[in-house]
Amino acid sequence: MEYLSIRQVAEKWGLSPRIINVLCSEGRIEGATKIGSYWAVPADSEKPDDARIKSGKYMKKQHSEETRDEVY
C-alpha cells in the first residue's frame, strides 16, 4: 500500500497541512497511521466530510430559543 505525507495530501485535497494533521489526530481519515512524529495517509483514502455548522447558527443559541418558546 502506498502512503502519502501530510503535505502531499494537503495539496491533493486543497486543504492546509494543519487541517490534515487535525483530521488524522481525530481519527477522521481512515487508515492514517502515525510513524514517529509524522502521519502517513493511504494514497487511496477519501477526503472526509466537512463537519462544521454551515447554517451560521450556533447550537447554544438555537437551544436557548427553543426553551424560551416553551416557557412563554
Side-chain angles (χ1 to χ4, degrees):
M1 177 179 277
E2 184 179 344
Y3 288 94
L4 301 175
S5 70
I6 287 182
R7 284 188 189 201
Q8 292 170 327
V9 175
E11 289 177 10
K12 179 180 173 182
W13 291 346
L15 299 173
S16 71
R18 177 68 183 140
I19 295 295
I20 303 299
N21 193 7
V22 169
L23 292 172
C24 290
S25 298
E26 292 177 349
R28 295 186 49 206
I29 299 177
E30 193 172 329
T33 57
K34 195 161 191 177
I35 302 172
S37 61
Y38 298 98
W39 283 99
V41 180
D44 60 350
S45 63
E46 294 185 17
K47 181 178 176 182
D49 293 331
D50 190 356
R52 295 178 292 177
I53 298 173
K54 302 251 196 240
S55 65
K57 296 180 182 179
Y58 293 97
M59 299 302 285
K60 186 174 182 181
K61 184 176 179 182
Q62 288 178 344
H63 179 67
S64 64
E65 289 175 359
E66 290 172 0
T67 56
R68 182 184 59 184
D69 292 337
E70 293 173 5
V71 173
Y72 293 110

